[in-house]
Amino acid sequence: MKTFDAIIIGAGQAGPSLAGRFAAAGMTVALIERKFVGGTCVNAGCMPTKTLVASARTAHVIRRGADYGIHTDGGISTDMAAVEKRAATVINNARDSLTTWLKSTDGISLIRGHARFENAKTIRVGEETLTAPRIFLNVGARPAIPPLPGLSDVEYLTSTSIIHLTALPRHLAIIGAGYIGLEFAQMYRRFGTEVSIIERGPRLAPREDDDICQAIADVLRSEGISIHTNAEDIKLSKSGEDIRISTAGNPDVEASHLLIATGRRPNTDDLGLSEAGVALDNKGYVIVDDHLSTNVDGIWALGDCNGRGAFTHTSYNDFEIVAANLLDGEDRKVSERIPAYALYIDPPLGRVGMTEREARATGRSISTSTIPMSQVGRAIEKGETKGLMKVVADIDNGQILGAAILGVEGDEAIHGFIDAMHAGTPYPVLKWAVPIHPTVSELIPTLLGGLKSGQ
Ligand SMILES: Cc1cc2nc3c(=O)[nH]c(=O)nc-3n(C[C@H](O)[C@H](O)[C@H](O)COP(=O)(O)OP(=O)(O)OC[C@H]3O[C@@H](n4cnc5c(N)ncnc54)[C@H](O)[C@@H]3O)c2cc1C
Ligand SMILES: NC(=O)c1ccc[n+]([C@@H]2O[C@H](COP(=O)([O-])OP(=O)(O)OC[C@H]3O[C@@H](n4cnc5c(N)ncnc54)[C@H](O)[C@@H]3O)[C@@H](O)[C@H]2O)c1
């Protein structure tokens, strides 16, 4: 049995950084990874998808060239093998540089293989057993496949397999209209594929406010994506070479390819957690407290597997919380984190805090303000005027509760709100900030000026 100061299972977005901090503090760390270092973000998530989104946007901009007085001769075509290769290069470079850093850092032992608890202090990886007084889970999640009738009779893609396609599908049907479904829908439409989205709920991006959902649907419809919402009783069958997707309330869709994008599930079912006595919730997430400790002393859970976030930045922030508390004598809590994320359709949706629906449900006195992107000078100059900016605030205490920027540069401009909310700055103060012209952010004081003030 090998003994370490710490064992980390999973080299995702929290594990490697945590290993680095422990090693820098003079501790020995075993970092166990069963597949690729970098986890989902590097190998099957953010990095490849945002690389593919950039290729798709290039196709879109070229198609729109004439709107800007720029003409290209003839049509455009997508070389899907070259598009895939570009994403593969980004993945490989990131994975290789992380691997090199881990292998060259004194104190870190990178162990390849599937880790499983034998008891609360012992981990087995193949023939080897390891022990440490502190064990950290950073095991992530994988695509959840719903038990749809007929699914086993047809071939389907997940977010993991679709990034390796080297030929363009004729018609891609996507079940699920969350982040994954919407990003791939627009990307493939721009590559030149016919795309149909099938969502069982009434709206796309169901967590957002109705005005945002409507604007997202308008963007996607304007690019020729067909949208089928309220799709209940989804059934799948073969139709010659195609896949038939039948639903109650919508016409059948016949597609050459099918992507299942109905959410993700935590990788906690094959870890031997019951041997260690670690408690899970009814969806399989590890139950953690505000400091990310599990119910078992000496075991923490970070990242997607704890259900407290589902993004790269939340997993990384889990690392920051645990490292600050264990190594720097701080008292950081996950409940102090303000939720923020971006949906990488184009234009992107940048989001922070509560939606209007969530804010109203709290019973506070709420005021909202919106500005269509068609009134934002920077968007007009760029010829990208789809979308809207929106802010939700508490008029009794002047606090900003949430914001959304669905528009060009929305994923960047939203940081004005993220920083202000983190600092707790009341919106009457922010109205006096002097932003740079011409930017999307320069409309933030104007947007805030549209809020009622109770002060
Ligand atoms: C298509 C897609 C696009 C995305 N885009 C974005 C985006 O734009 N922005 C964003 O913030 N987030 C995005 N995400 C989400 C983001 O990728 C995840 O939230 C993030 O990677 C989670 O990191 P993690 O550290 O929790 O786990 P992961 O990165 O999933 O890492 C977990 C690691 O643990 C390993 N592992 C699991 N079990 C074991 C075991 N028993 N033994 C050894 N190793 C094990 C796995 O192999 C994996 O390497 C996207 C996700 C997908 C699928
Ligand atoms: N830009 C980003 O940050 C980004 C991008 C991609 C993925 N992600 C991460 O990946 C996670 C998973 O993304 P996702 O899009 O798979 O999940 P999601 O939870 O965002 O969306 C799933 C969608 O599928 C629908 N759905 C669920 N079951 C269904 C069924 N049986 N039939 C039809 N529709 C069904 C849901 O109503 C929902 O609209 C996200 O939570 C996110 O954390 C993030």
Side-chain angles (χ1 to χ4, degrees):
M1 173 118 67
K2 287 191 181 154
T3 302
F4 295 87
D5 293 318
I7 295 173
I8 302 171
I9 305 177
Q13 293 306 302
S17 303
L18 190 61
R21 278 297 313 270
F22 283 142
M27 293 158 80
T28 55
V29 191
L31 177 61
I32 309 165
E33 172 54 56
R34 68 181 176 190
K35 205 165 181 202
F36 300 124
V37 301
T40 306
C41 175
V42 168
N43 299 288
C46 333
M47 293 195 80
T49 55
K50 272 74 249 183
T51 306
L52 294 169
V53 163
S55 289
R57 179 171 158 78
T58 303
H60 177 70
V61 170
I62 295 170
R63 277 193 199 101
R64 287 196 59 205
D67 294 350
Y68 298 84
I70 308 294
H71 294 275
T72 46
D73 294 331
I76 69 157
S77 63
T78 303
D79 176 350
M80 207 51 211
V83 168
E84 188 275 341
K85 192 171 169 202
R86 185 171 167 270
T89 304
V90 170
I91 294 173
N92 290 335
N93 289 347
R95 191 196 292 163
D96 290 350
S97 82
L98 184 56
T99 308
T100 305
W101 173 69
L102 288 170
K103 285 188 170 166
S104 62
T105 303
D106 285 344
I108 299 179
S109 302
L110 179 59
I111 297 172
R112 303 292 189 160
H114 177 85
R116 220 188 135 79
F117 280 90
E118 297 221 312
N119 57 53
K121 293 277 174 258
T122 313
I123 303 291
R124 171 169 292 281
V125 186
E127 298 301 304
E128 240 181 326
T129 50
L130 326 171
T131 186
R134 302 166 200 85
I135 299 178
F136 302 88
L137 310 177
N138 178 218
V139 291
R142 63 184 186 273
I145 306 300
L148 298 171
L151 189 62
S152 56
D153 302 332
V154 299
E155 279 189 32
Y156 63 87
L157 297 157
T158 65
S159 59
T160 310
S161 53
I162 196 172
I163 58 175
H164 301 296
L165 285 189
T166 52
L168 208 54
R170 179 178 51 74
H171 184 170
L172 176 65
I174 300 176
I175 299 184
Y179 306 79
I180 292 179
L182 298 182
E183 289 180 6
F184 279 105
Q186 188 184 46
M187 177 202 301
Y188 268 88
R189 182 66 196 134
R190 289 178 169 192
F191 288 150
T193 291
E194 185 181 350
V195 174
S196 304
I197 299 175
I198 296 144
E199 163 63 45
R200 71 174 170 195
R203 301 170 310 156
L204 307 184
R207 294 181 192 93
E208 307 304 331
D209 283 331
D210 286 353
D211 46 2
I212 301 288
C213 297
Q214 192 52 53
I216 291 173
D218 290 346
V219 167
L220 298 182
R221 275 206 191 93
S222 74
E223 295 189 21
I225 293 169
S226 88
I227 297 174
H228 306 254
T229 47
N230 295 310
E232 285 170 26
D233 296 330
I234 298 174
K235 292 189 184 68
L236 301 154
S237 56
K238 279 191 180 157
S239 172
E241 294 291 296
D242 279 357
I243 300 155
R244 179 182 296 129
I245 301 107
S246 318
T247 59
N250 281 290
D252 286 1
V253 172
E254 299 218 346
S256 59
H257 292 69
L258 170 66
L259 170 66
I260 302 290
T262 51
R264 290 171 66 77
R265 56 178 289 201
N267 292 323
T268 53
D269 44 347
D270 52 2
L271 256 180
L273 286 174
S274 54
E275 262 68 52
V278 174
L280 302 177
D281 72 10
N282 60 4
K283 290 184 173 158
Y285 291 102
V286 180
I287 298 171
V288 289
D289 66 14
D290 225 4
H291 296 104
L292 303 170
S293 298
T294 68
N295 62 313
V296 177
D297 263 1
I299 303 180
W300 291 257
L302 298 80
D304 283 11
C305 70
N306 66 23
R308 302 293 288 267
F311 300 98
T312 285
H313 46 276
T314 51
S315 178
Y316 188 78
N317 182 235
D318 284 359
F319 141 67
E320 293 176 311
I321 291 169
V322 167
N325 293 344
L326 295 185
L327 297 172
D328 304 332
E330 295 200 34
D331 180 25
R332 300 276 165 192
K333 300 185 180 85
V334 71
S335 59
E336 289 163 356
R337 180 161 73 207
I338 299 171
Y341 52 88
L343 167 67
Y344 286 95
I345 57 166
D346 176 34
L349 168 68
R351 277 273 298 113
V352 58
M354 295 184 208
T355 60
E356 179 181 350
R357 191 171 52 237
E358 287 165 347
R360 291 202 184 282
T362 64
R364 300 179 206 221
S365 303
I366 299 300
S367 177
T368 67
S369 172
T370 58
I371 295 179
M373 293 303 287
S374 56
Q375 288 176 14
V376 177
R378 186 65 168 154
I380 295 167
E381 290 145 13
K382 288 192 164 192
E384 300 187 44
T385 53
K386 288 180 181 147
L388 69 153
M389 304 171 89
K390 176 172 183 178
V391 64
V392 184
D394 182 327
I395 47 178
D396 289 336
N397 62 11
Q399 292 300 308
I400 298 169
L401 300 177
I405 304 180
L406 174 67
V408 60
E409 319 294 1
D411 55 329
E412 297 290 347
I414 196 69
H415 285 83
F417 286 110
I418 294 175
D419 292 343
M421 288 173 69
H422 182 73
T425 314
Y427 63 82
V429 176
L430 285 175
K431 278 197 285 193
W432 286 97
V434 182
I436 295 167
H437 174 77
T439 57
V440 172
S441 300
E442 77 176 317
L443 266 290
I444 290 178
T446 314
L447 184 68
L448 295 170
L451 291 169
K452 285 187 207 137
S453 179
Q455 294 182 320

mmCIF file with all atom_site columns, all heavy atoms in Angstrom, residues 203-218 357 388 406:
data_model
loop_
_atom_site.group_PDB
_atom_site.id
_atom_site.type_symbol
_atom_site.label_atom_id
_atom_site.label_alt_id
_atom_site.label_comp_id
_atom_site.label_asym_id
_atom_site.label_entity_id
_atom_site.label_seq_id
_atom_site.pdbx_PDB_ins_code
_atom_site.Cartn_x
_atom_site.Cartn_y
_atom_site.Cartn_z
_atom_site.occupancy
_atom_site.B_iso_or_equiv
_atom_site.pdbx_formal_charge
_atom_site.auth_seq_id
_atom_site.auth_comp_id
_atom_site.auth_asym_id
_atom_site.auth_atom_id
_atom_site.pdbx_PDB_model_num
ATOM 1   N N   . ARG A 1 203 ? -40.289 25.592 -24.095 1.00 0.00 ? 203 ARG A N   1
ATOM 2   C CA  . ARG A 1 203 ? -39.375 26.643 -24.546 1.00 0.00 ? 203 ARG A CA  1
ATOM 3   C C   . ARG A 1 203 ? -37.961 26.101 -24.720 1.00 0.00 ? 203 ARG A C   1
ATOM 4   O O   . ARG A 1 203 ? -37.584 25.135 -24.068 1.00 0.00 ? 203 ARG A O   1
ATOM 5   C CB  . ARG A 1 203 ? -39.319 27.769 -23.491 1.00 0.00 ? 203 ARG A CB  1
ATOM 6   C CG  . ARG A 1 203 ? -40.674 28.388 -23.227 1.00 0.00 ? 203 ARG A CG  1
ATOM 7   C CD  . ARG A 1 203 ? -40.640 29.290 -22.036 1.00 0.00 ? 203 ARG A CD  1
ATOM 8   N NE  . ARG A 1 203 ? -40.032 28.669 -20.884 1.00 0.00 ? 203 ARG A NE  1
ATOM 9   C CZ  . ARG A 1 203 ? -39.473 29.323 -19.884 1.00 0.00 ? 203 ARG A CZ  1
ATOM 10  N NH1 . ARG A 1 203 ? -39.423 30.619 -19.909 1.00 0.00 ? 203 ARG A NH1 1
ATOM 11  N NH2 . ARG A 1 203 ? -38.955 28.684 -18.861 1.00 0.00 ? 203 ARG A NH2 1
ATOM 12  N N   . LEU A 1 204 ? -37.179 26.822 -25.531 1.00 0.00 ? 204 LEU A N   1
ATOM 13  C CA  . LEU A 1 204 ? -35.743 26.537 -25.604 1.00 0.00 ? 204 LEU A CA  1
ATOM 14  C C   . LEU A 1 204 ? -35.084 27.139 -24.372 1.00 0.00 ? 204 LEU A C   1
ATOM 15  O O   . LEU A 1 204 ? -35.620 28.091 -23.795 1.00 0.00 ? 204 LEU A O   1
ATOM 16  C CB  . LEU A 1 204 ? -35.132 27.186 -26.846 1.00 0.00 ? 204 LEU A CB  1
ATOM 17  C CG  . LEU A 1 204 ? -35.788 26.888 -28.186 1.00 0.00 ? 204 LEU A CG  1
ATOM 18  C CD1 . LEU A 1 204 ? -34.990 27.550 -29.316 1.00 0.00 ? 204 LEU A CD1 1
ATOM 19  C CD2 . LEU A 1 204 ? -35.878 25.391 -28.427 1.00 0.00 ? 204 LEU A CD2 1
ATOM 20  N N   . ALA A 1 205 ? -33.919 26.667 -23.989 1.00 0.00 ? 205 ALA A N   1
ATOM 21  C CA  . ALA A 1 205 ? -33.191 27.188 -22.825 1.00 0.00 ? 205 ALA A CA  1
ATOM 22  C C   . ALA A 1 205 ? -34.153 27.426 -21.662 1.00 0.00 ? 205 ALA A C   1
ATOM 23  O O   . ALA A 1 205 ? -34.356 28.554 -21.223 1.00 0.00 ? 205 ALA A O   1
ATOM 24  C CB  . ALA A 1 205 ? -32.464 28.488 -23.193 1.00 0.00 ? 205 ALA A CB  1
ATOM 25  N N   . PRO A 1 206 ? -34.779 26.340 -21.180 1.00 0.00 ? 206 PRO A N   1
ATOM 26  C CA  . PRO A 1 206 ? -35.915 26.477 -20.265 1.00 0.00 ? 206 PRO A CA  1
ATOM 27  C C   . PRO A 1 206 ? -35.647 27.227 -18.959 1.00 0.00 ? 206 PRO A C   1
ATOM 28  O O   . PRO A 1 206 ? -36.592 27.721 -18.337 1.00 0.00 ? 206 PRO A O   1
ATOM 29  C CB  . PRO A 1 206 ? -36.334 25.041 -19.959 1.00 0.00 ? 206 PRO A CB  1
ATOM 30  C CG  . PRO A 1 206 ? -35.421 24.144 -20.679 1.00 0.00 ? 206 PRO A CG  1
ATOM 31  C CD  . PRO A 1 206 ? -34.455 24.947 -21.499 1.00 0.00 ? 206 PRO A CD  1
ATOM 32  N N   . ARG A 1 207 ? -34.358 27.363 -18.557 1.00 0.00 ? 207 ARG A N   1
ATOM 33  C CA  . ARG A 1 207 ? -34.104 28.050 -17.280 1.00 0.00 ? 207 ARG A CA  1
ATOM 34  C C   . ARG A 1 207 ? -34.259 29.563 -17.403 1.00 0.00 ? 207 ARG A C   1
ATOM 35  O O   . ARG A 1 207 ? -34.324 30.267 -16.405 1.00 0.00 ? 207 ARG A O   1
ATOM 36  C CB  . ARG A 1 207 ? -32.680 27.775 -16.807 1.00 0.00 ? 207 ARG A CB  1
ATOM 37  C CG  . ARG A 1 207 ? -32.437 26.335 -16.445 1.00 0.00 ? 207 ARG A CG  1
ATOM 38  C CD  . ARG A 1 207 ? -31.002 26.134 -15.948 1.00 0.00 ? 207 ARG A CD  1
ATOM 39  N NE  . ARG A 1 207 ? -30.700 24.721 -15.866 1.00 0.00 ? 207 ARG A NE  1
ATOM 40  C CZ  . ARG A 1 207 ? -30.132 24.029 -16.836 1.00 0.00 ? 207 ARG A CZ  1
ATOM 41  N NH1 . ARG A 1 207 ? -29.784 24.604 -17.967 1.00 0.00 ? 207 ARG A NH1 1
ATOM 42  N NH2 . ARG A 1 207 ? -29.906 22.741 -16.685 1.00 0.00 ? 207 ARG A NH2 1
ATOM 43  N N   . GLU A 1 208 ? -34.273 30.091 -18.640 1.00 0.00 ? 208 GLU A N   1
ATOM 44  C CA  . GLU A 1 208 ? -34.241 31.550 -18.824 1.00 0.00 ? 208 GLU A CA  1
ATOM 45  C C   . GLU A 1 208 ? -35.652 32.146 -18.822 1.00 0.00 ? 208 GLU A C   1
ATOM 46  O O   . GLU A 1 208 ? -36.649 31.439 -18.944 1.00 0.00 ? 208 GLU A O   1
ATOM 47  C CB  . GLU A 1 208 ? -33.523 31.884 -20.142 1.00 0.00 ? 208 GLU A CB  1
ATOM 48  C CG  . GLU A 1 208 ? -32.155 31.251 -20.285 1.00 0.00 ? 208 GLU A CG  1
ATOM 49  C CD  . GLU A 1 208 ? -31.190 31.578 -19.144 1.00 0.00 ? 208 GLU A CD  1
ATOM 50  O OE1 . GLU A 1 208 ? -31.316 32.661 -18.535 1.00 0.00 ? 208 GLU A OE1 1
ATOM 51  O OE2 . GLU A 1 208 ? -30.321 30.742 -18.838 1.00 0.00 ? 208 GLU A OE2 1
ATOM 52  N N   . ASP A 1 209 ? -35.702 33.494 -18.711 1.00 0.00 ? 209 ASP A N   1
ATOM 53  C CA  . ASP A 1 209 ? -36.987 34.197 -18.792 1.00 0.00 ? 209 ASP A CA  1
ATOM 54  C C   . ASP A 1 209 ? -37.567 34.067 -20.198 1.00 0.00 ? 209 ASP A C   1
ATOM 55  O O   . ASP A 1 209 ? -36.839 33.927 -21.180 1.00 0.00 ? 209 ASP A O   1
ATOM 56  C CB  . ASP A 1 209 ? -36.780 35.689 -18.471 1.00 0.00 ? 209 ASP A CB  1
ATOM 57  C CG  . ASP A 1 209 ? -36.610 35.928 -16.974 1.00 0.00 ? 209 ASP A CG  1
ATOM 58  O OD1 . ASP A 1 209 ? -37.155 35.147 -16.176 1.00 0.00 ? 209 ASP A OD1 1
ATOM 59  O OD2 . ASP A 1 209 ? -35.915 36.910 -16.617 1.00 0.00 ? 209 ASP A OD2 1
ATOM 60  N N   . ASP A 1 210 ? -38.895 34.232 -20.270 1.00 0.00 ? 210 ASP A N   1
ATOM 61  C CA  . ASP A 1 210 ? -39.585 34.050 -21.553 1.00 0.00 ? 210 ASP A CA  1
ATOM 62  C C   . ASP A 1 210 ? -39.042 34.964 -22.660 1.00 0.00 ? 210 ASP A C   1
ATOM 63  O O   . ASP A 1 210 ? -38.916 34.552 -23.807 1.00 0.00 ? 210 ASP A O   1
ATOM 64  C CB  . ASP A 1 210 ? -41.090 34.344 -21.394 1.00 0.00 ? 210 ASP A CB  1
ATOM 65  C CG  . ASP A 1 210 ? -41.781 33.228 -20.648 1.00 0.00 ? 210 ASP A CG  1
ATOM 66  O OD1 . ASP A 1 210 ? -41.127 32.199 -20.381 1.00 0.00 ? 210 ASP A OD1 1
ATOM 67  O OD2 . ASP A 1 210 ? -42.974 33.393 -20.324 1.00 0.00 ? 210 ASP A OD2 1
ATOM 68  N N   . ASP A 1 211 ? -38.735 36.249 -22.309 1.00 0.00 ? 211 ASP A N   1
ATOM 69  C CA  . ASP A 1 211 ? -38.269 37.166 -23.364 1.00 0.00 ? 211 ASP A CA  1
ATOM 70  C C   . ASP A 1 211 ? -36.926 36.717 -23.934 1.00 0.00 ? 211 ASP A C   1
ATOM 71  O O   . ASP A 1 211 ? -36.668 36.836 -25.135 1.00 0.00 ? 211 ASP A O   1
ATOM 72  C CB  . ASP A 1 211 ? -38.204 38.627 -22.863 1.00 0.00 ? 211 ASP A CB  1
ATOM 73  C CG  . ASP A 1 211 ? -37.550 38.777 -21.498 1.00 0.00 ? 211 ASP A CG  1
ATOM 74  O OD1 . ASP A 1 211 ? -37.101 37.761 -20.922 1.00 0.00 ? 211 ASP A OD1 1
ATOM 75  O OD2 . ASP A 1 211 ? -37.476 39.928 -20.997 1.00 0.00 ? 211 ASP A OD2 1
ATOM 76  N N   . ILE A 1 212 ? -36.077 36.157 -23.078 1.00 0.00 ? 212 ILE A N   1
ATOM 77  C CA  . ILE A 1 212 ? -34.773 35.667 -23.536 1.00 0.00 ? 212 ILE A CA  1
ATOM 78  C C   . ILE A 1 212 ? -34.981 34.408 -24.402 1.00 0.00 ? 212 ILE A C   1
ATOM 79  O O   . ILE A 1 212 ? -34.395 34.274 -25.483 1.00 0.00 ? 212 ILE A O   1
ATOM 80  C CB  . ILE A 1 212 ? -33.850 35.338 -22.333 1.00 0.00 ? 212 ILE A CB  1
ATOM 81  C CG1 . ILE A 1 212 ? -33.644 36.582 -21.456 1.00 0.00 ? 212 ILE A CG1 1
ATOM 82  C CG2 . ILE A 1 212 ? -32.527 34.733 -22.798 1.00 0.00 ? 212 ILE A CG2 1
ATOM 83  C CD1 . ILE A 1 212 ? -32.774 37.666 -22.041 1.00 0.00 ? 212 ILE A CD1 1
ATOM 84  N N   . CYS A 1 213 ? -35.835 33.488 -23.921 1.00 0.00 ? 213 CYS A N   1
ATOM 85  C CA  . CYS A 1 213 ? -36.094 32.241 -24.681 1.00 0.00 ? 213 CYS A CA  1
ATOM 86  C C   . CYS A 1 213 ? -36.634 32.574 -26.063 1.00 0.00 ? 213 CYS A C   1
ATOM 87  O O   . CYS A 1 213 ? -36.247 31.968 -27.065 1.00 0.00 ? 213 CYS A O   1
ATOM 88  C CB  . CYS A 1 213 ? -37.126 31.376 -23.974 1.00 0.00 ? 213 CYS A CB  1
ATOM 89  S SG  . CYS A 1 213 ? -36.614 30.822 -22.381 1.00 0.00 ? 213 CYS A SG  1
ATOM 90  N N   . GLN A 1 214 ? -37.552 33.550 -26.091 1.00 0.00 ? 214 GLN A N   1
ATOM 91  C CA  . GLN A 1 214 ? -38.166 33.942 -27.357 1.00 0.00 ? 214 GLN A CA  1
ATOM 92  C C   . GLN A 1 214 ? -37.111 34.506 -28.314 1.00 0.00 ? 214 GLN A C   1
ATOM 93  O O   . GLN A 1 214 ? -37.080 34.172 -29.506 1.00 0.00 ? 214 GLN A O   1
ATOM 94  C CB  . GLN A 1 214 ? -39.251 34.999 -27.078 1.00 0.00 ? 214 GLN A CB  1
ATOM 95  C CG  . GLN A 1 214 ? -40.170 35.295 -28.248 1.00 0.00 ? 214 GLN A CG  1
ATOM 96  C CD  . GLN A 1 214 ? -40.785 34.027 -28.830 1.00 0.00 ? 214 GLN A CD  1
ATOM 97  O OE1 . GLN A 1 214 ? -41.373 33.228 -28.093 1.00 0.00 ? 214 GLN A OE1 1
ATOM 98  N NE2 . GLN A 1 214 ? -40.613 33.812 -30.131 1.00 0.00 ? 214 GLN A NE2 1
ATOM 99  N N   . ALA A 1 215 ? -36.222 35.347 -27.762 1.00 0.00 ? 215 ALA A N   1
ATOM 100 C CA  . ALA A 1 215 ? -35.174 35.952 -28.608 1.00 0.00 ? 215 ALA A CA  1
ATOM 101 C C   . ALA A 1 215 ? -34.198 34.883 -29.114 1.00 0.00 ? 215 ALA A C   1
ATOM 102 O O   . ALA A 1 215 ? -33.741 34.949 -30.259 1.00 0.00 ? 215 ALA A O   1
ATOM 103 C CB  . ALA A 1 215 ? -34.434 37.035 -27.821 1.00 0.00 ? 215 ALA A CB  1
ATOM 104 N N   . ILE A 1 216 ? -33.903 33.890 -28.278 1.00 0.00 ? 216 ILE A N   1
ATOM 105 C CA  . ILE A 1 216 ? -33.022 32.791 -28.726 1.00 0.00 ? 216 ILE A CA  1
ATOM 106 C C   . ILE A 1 216 ? -33.696 32.029 -29.864 1.00 0.00 ? 216 ILE A C   1
ATOM 107 O O   . ILE A 1 216 ? -33.084 31.725 -30.898 1.00 0.00 ? 216 ILE A O   1
ATOM 108 C CB  . ILE A 1 216 ? -32.697 31.831 -27.552 1.00 0.00 ? 216 ILE A CB  1
ATOM 109 C CG1 . ILE A 1 216 ? -31.802 32.527 -26.525 1.00 0.00 ? 216 ILE A CG1 1
ATOM 110 C CG2 . ILE A 1 216 ? -32.058 30.544 -28.058 1.00 0.00 ? 216 ILE A CG2 1
ATOM 111 C CD1 . ILE A 1 216 ? -31.566 31.725 -25.245 1.00 0.00 ? 216 ILE A CD1 1
ATOM 112 N N   . ALA A 1 217 ? -34.983 31.737 -29.691 1.00 0.00 ? 217 ALA A N   1
ATOM 113 C CA  . ALA A 1 217 ? -35.720 31.008 -30.749 1.00 0.00 ? 217 ALA A CA  1
ATOM 114 C C   . ALA A 1 217 ? -35.727 31.813 -32.044 1.00 0.00 ? 217 ALA A C   1
ATOM 115 O O   . ALA A 1 217 ? -35.556 31.252 -33.136 1.00 0.00 ? 217 ALA A O   1
ATOM 116 C CB  . ALA A 1 217 ? -37.142 30.705 -30.280 1.00 0.00 ? 217 ALA A CB  1
ATOM 117 N N   . ASP A 1 218 ? -35.890 33.145 -31.931 1.00 0.00 ? 218 ASP A N   1
ATOM 118 C CA  . ASP A 1 218 ? -35.890 33.991 -33.140 1.00 0.00 ? 218 ASP A CA  1
ATOM 119 C C   . ASP A 1 218 ? -34.547 33.902 -33.868 1.00 0.00 ? 218 ASP A C   1
ATOM 120 O O   . ASP A 1 218 ? -34.503 33.809 -35.091 1.00 0.00 ? 218 ASP A O   1
ATOM 121 C CB  . ASP A 1 218 ? -36.173 35.463 -32.773 1.00 0.00 ? 218 ASP A CB  1
ATOM 122 C CG  . ASP A 1 218 ? -37.612 35.670 -32.318 1.00 0.00 ? 218 ASP A CG  1
ATOM 123 O OD1 . ASP A 1 218 ? -38.442 34.750 -32.535 1.00 0.00 ? 218 ASP A OD1 1
ATOM 124 O OD2 . ASP A 1 218 ? -37.892 36.735 -31.730 1.00 0.00 ? 218 ASP A OD2 1
ATOM 125 N N   . ARG A 1 357 ? -38.000 35.733 -13.271 1.00 0.00 ? 357 ARG A N   1
ATOM 126 C CA  . ARG A 1 357 ? -38.959 34.784 -12.677 1.00 0.00 ? 357 ARG A CA  1
ATOM 127 C C   . ARG A 1 357 ? -38.504 34.390 -11.267 1.00 0.00 ? 357 ARG A C   1
ATOM 128 O O   . ARG A 1 357 ? -39.282 34.405 -10.311 1.00 0.00 ? 357 ARG A O   1
ATOM 129 C CB  . ARG A 1 357 ? -39.049 33.555 -13.595 1.00 0.00 ? 357 ARG A CB  1
ATOM 130 C CG  . ARG A 1 357 ? -40.171 32.613 -13.272 1.00 0.00 ? 357 ARG A CG  1
ATOM 131 C CD  . ARG A 1 357 ? -40.352 31.531 -14.337 1.00 0.00 ? 357 ARG A CD  1
ATOM 132 N NE  . ARG A 1 357 ? -39.136 30.818 -14.657 1.00 0.00 ? 357 ARG A NE  1
ATOM 133 C CZ  . ARG A 1 357 ? -38.608 30.730 -15.877 1.00 0.00 ? 357 ARG A CZ  1
ATOM 134 N NH1 . ARG A 1 357 ? -39.190 31.303 -16.891 1.00 0.00 ? 357 ARG A NH1 1
ATOM 135 N NH2 . ARG A 1 357 ? -37.494 30.058 -16.089 1.00 0.00 ? 357 ARG A NH2 1
ATOM 136 N N   . LEU A 1 388 ? -31.096 41.170 -26.690 1.00 0.00 ? 388 LEU A N   1
ATOM 137 C CA  . LEU A 1 388 ? -31.481 42.218 -25.745 1.00 0.00 ? 388 LEU A CA  1
ATOM 138 C C   . LEU A 1 388 ? -30.600 42.158 -24.500 1.00 0.00 ? 388 LEU A C   1
ATOM 139 O O   . LEU A 1 388 ? -29.968 41.134 -24.223 1.00 0.00 ? 388 LEU A O   1
ATOM 140 C CB  . LEU A 1 388 ? -32.948 42.092 -25.348 1.00 0.00 ? 388 LEU A CB  1
ATOM 141 C CG  . LEU A 1 388 ? -33.350 40.894 -24.476 1.00 0.00 ? 388 LEU A CG  1
ATOM 142 C CD1 . LEU A 1 388 ? -34.576 41.236 -23.640 1.00 0.00 ? 388 LEU A CD1 1
ATOM 143 C CD2 . LEU A 1 388 ? -33.665 39.680 -25.330 1.00 0.00 ? 388 LEU A CD2 1
ATOM 144 N N   . LEU A 1 406 ? -28.039 38.979 -24.053 1.00 0.00 ? 406 LEU A N   1
ATOM 145 C CA  . LEU A 1 406 ? -28.074 38.146 -25.247 1.00 0.00 ? 406 LEU A CA  1
ATOM 146 C C   . LEU A 1 406 ? -27.750 39.083 -26.399 1.00 0.00 ? 406 LEU A C   1
ATOM 147 O O   . LEU A 1 406 ? -28.606 39.854 -26.842 1.00 0.00 ? 406 LEU A O   1
ATOM 148 C CB  . LEU A 1 406 ? -29.466 37.517 -25.438 1.00 0.00 ? 406 LEU A CB  1
ATOM 149 C CG  . LEU A 1 406 ? -29.647 36.745 -26.752 1.00 0.00 ? 406 LEU A CG  1
ATOM 150 C CD1 . LEU A 1 406 ? -28.780 35.495 -26.797 1.00 0.00 ? 406 LEU A CD1 1
ATOM 151 C CD2 . LEU A 1 406 ? -31.110 36.361 -26.979 1.00 0.00 ? 406 LEU A CD2 1
#
